[in-house]
Amino acid sequence: MLETWLTSKTVNIVDSVGNWKEAIQLCAAPLLKNNTITPNYINSIIELHESIGPYYVLAPGIAMPHARPEQGVNQLSLSMLLVKQGVKFNSQENDPVYLITLLAANDNTSHIEILTQLAALFGEASDIQKIFKAQTSAQILSVINNY
């Protein structure tokens, strides 16, 4: 199911980023390009982080930035960025973050199945390690296609 949302156009790898804001912006870029989110959605995620902290850092090395549907989501969408060198999100227990999966839900329910599949992926340590070690987006997608 995740292969519907995560494709070669929405999954990217970079060696490093300057900071967590750049990581979010790079992760969101494919969704901006395909007009499923607006720039306001990215700004909302950054503002929330600055206000309440890295609420979306879920586990060691894994973040899932998101905001409210009304903050700039045009269509349900998902993107993924692997930062090979990791990036600090100021999440003491979970930094550095390597895998950023940006979720843009356009309502309160349509994304539940995606979350279920992502939870299964994030809970499978061996598959997460394969993603962390991936050199190409095709390698990431070969893992994702199992979910």
Side-chain angles (χ1 to χ4, degrees):
M1 188 230 173
L2 289 179
E3 71 269 9
T4 303
W5 307 104
L6 293 169
T7 68
S8 60
K9 292 181 180 177
T10 59
V11 174
N12 292 291
I13 299 175
V14 296
D15 190 55
S16 63
V17 294
N19 57 47
W20 63 267
K21 289 181 188 178
E22 183 184 351
I24 289 173
Q25 291 165 341
L26 282 172
C27 190
L31 305 184
L32 274 175
K33 185 177 180 181
N34 69 18
N35 201 37
T36 56
I37 64 170
T38 67
N40 187 59
Y41 192 70
I42 300 165
N43 294 337
S44 295
I45 293 169
I46 291 170
E47 287 170 11
L48 267 170
H49 179 124
E50 290 174 339
S51 170
I52 63 172
Y55 61 96
Y56 49 80
V57 179
L58 306 177
I62 300 173
M64 192 169 67
H66 60 281
R68 302 278 313 143
E70 64 273 13
Q71 292 175 305
V73 178
N74 295 324
Q75 184 178 328
L76 179 63
S77 54
L78 198 61
S79 62
M80 187 175 276
L81 178 70
L82 176 65
V83 180
K84 299 294 288 176
Q85 301 299 318
V87 58
K88 290 186 190 261
F89 276 80
N90 301 316
S91 175
Q92 273 187 317
E93 296 173 12
N94 298 317
D95 275 340
V97 168
Y98 299 96
L99 185 64
I100 301 136
T101 304
L102 193 137
L103 173 65
N106 57 340
D107 60 36
N108 290 328
T109 58
S110 62
H111 62 290
I112 300 300
E113 182 63 26
I114 290 174
L115 285 177
T116 301
Q117 295 302 312
L118 285 171
L121 170 63
F122 295 159
E124 190 57 56
S126 63
D127 282 344
I128 289 300
Q129 287 305 311
K130 288 177 191 172
I131 291 174
F132 284 177
K133 293 175 182 173
Q135 299 299 314
T136 66
S137 58
Q139 290 173 326
I140 294 173
L141 290 168
S142 71
V143 175
I144 287 167
N145 290 343
N146 296 318
Y147 293 87

